Amino acid sequence: MFITFEGPEGSGKTTVSNIIVNRLEKLGYKVIKTREPGGTPIAEAIRNVILDPKNTNLDPRAEALLYAASRRQHLVEKVWPAVSEGKIVICDRFLDSSLAYQGGARNLGVDNILSVNMFATEGTFPDLTLLFDIAPEDGLKRIAANANREVNRLDLEKIDFHKKVRETFLELAEKYNERFVIVDANRPLEDVVENTWLIIKKKLGI
Ligand code: TYD
């Protein structure tokens, strides 16, 4: 089972996914928690190039290709082996982030980004994608309140960029409704966790 957590900055998906992984492990499931870009040493090295706030002149297409390269490496080294061993892989961001950020917000076109990624992933899609939906104003407010979180190059984009990210995520959720479930992330953490847990349990049939 390959499950991805998607959403704009400050949606709380990382905190929620850690709690869900804990609960699954307590039930005896073998779970791998990972993230994109990154998740393996080579993919983390690519992540550092992409997210470094000093790289202000990183070209948008080059950025899209780096995300796809990092994704490929992460699939080969980590995701595919774990899934074939019967583990549950929970990944913080995947393909849909590229479609929303590079395809939608950077205006490279969702279809262009999909085709680059089809080469990278050989057509691997998640079994389930949870979209933690929140207005960018509210998400960015949460980030500002959380002094522990590093600020990355994409956090520094203007509000219109983040609005376009959200809009594209919602379009993707409609287009791929067989694998997407939307979670209202603008609620207290306990509610978001419980809603997410119900969705995961349903998918696992427990
Ligand atoms: P990260 O610190 O993981 O952000 P978050 O905690 O919000 O998930 O940084 C990942 C950043 O990279 C985030 O701004 C979204 C962006 N991103 C893309 O633009 N395209 C992609 O394909 C992926 C995976 C992430």
Side-chain angles (χ1 to χ4, degrees):
M1 183 79 66
F2 179 33
I3 302 174
T4 57
F5 282 44
E6 297 280 5
E9 330 287 320
S11 61
K13 64 185 165 40
T14 310
T15 312
V16 175
S17 64
N18 288 334
I19 297 171
I20 297 294
V21 168
N22 254 318
R23 288 191 184 183
L24 287 170
E25 283 174 344
K26 280 209 188 104
L27 292 180
Y29 287 97
K30 296 247 175 312
V31 190
I32 301 265
K33 165 88 199 311
T34 188
R35 70 161 180 188
E36 276 206 4
T40 75
I42 297 172
E44 289 285 335
I46 302 173
R47 174 190 176 91
N48 291 338
V49 174
I50 305 174
L51 295 181
D52 188 341
K54 288 201 292 289
N55 287 340
T56 45
N57 58 352
L58 181 60
D59 171 78
R61 286 180 187 235
E63 179 190 78
L65 291 166
L66 287 170
Y67 277 115
S70 150
R71 177 159 305 128
R72 167 85 195 167
Q73 191 66 30
H74 179 241
L75 280 171
V76 170
E77 282 195 76
K78 204 160 177 183
V79 178
W80 286 335
V83 169
S84 70
E85 287 165 16
K87 294 178 178 150
I88 298 176
V89 177
I90 300 210
C91 191
D92 198 334
R93 298 192 181 281
F94 185 64
L95 164 78
D96 299 300
S97 278
S98 281
L99 301 178
Y101 283 80
Q102 283 66 54
R106 287 257 188 264
N107 258 318
L108 295 174
V110 170
D111 290 342
N112 288 334
I113 299 301
L114 182 60
S115 60
V116 166
N117 275 275
M118 290 301 271
F119 175 73
T121 66
E122 298 178 64
T124 292
F125 285 95
D127 299 298
L128 172 67
T129 301
L130 291 145
L131 173 58
F132 293 84
D133 182 49
I134 189 166
E137 293 85 351
D138 298 323
L140 294 171
K141 238 184 266 161
R142 283 189 185 166
I143 291 180
N146 179 358
N148 293 328
R149 189 189 180 283
E150 62 186 286
V151 172
N152 73 47
R153 204 169 47 82
L154 283 102
D155 295 338
L156 301 173
E157 291 288 342
K158 300 208 165 48
I159 195 81
D160 283 352
F161 178 90
H162 295 289
K163 283 190 177 151
K164 194 75 191 139
V165 168
R166 181 192 197 195
E167 208 175 282
T168 314
F169 269 135
L170 290 171
E171 285 166 14
L172 292 168
E174 204 172 307
K175 181 170 169 199
Y176 297 108
N177 61 10
E178 72 295 344
R179 71 176 165 90
F180 261 96
V181 182
I182 299 174
V183 179
D184 180 0
N186 196 15
R187 299 178 60 89
L189 179 65
E190 306 81 66
D191 294 3
V192 182
V193 169
E194 292 318 317
N195 287 337
T196 307
W197 185 231
L198 287 178
I199 295 161
I200 302 254
K201 283 206 300 190
K202 183 165 172 226
K203 184 70 188 178
L204 296 173
I206 56 172

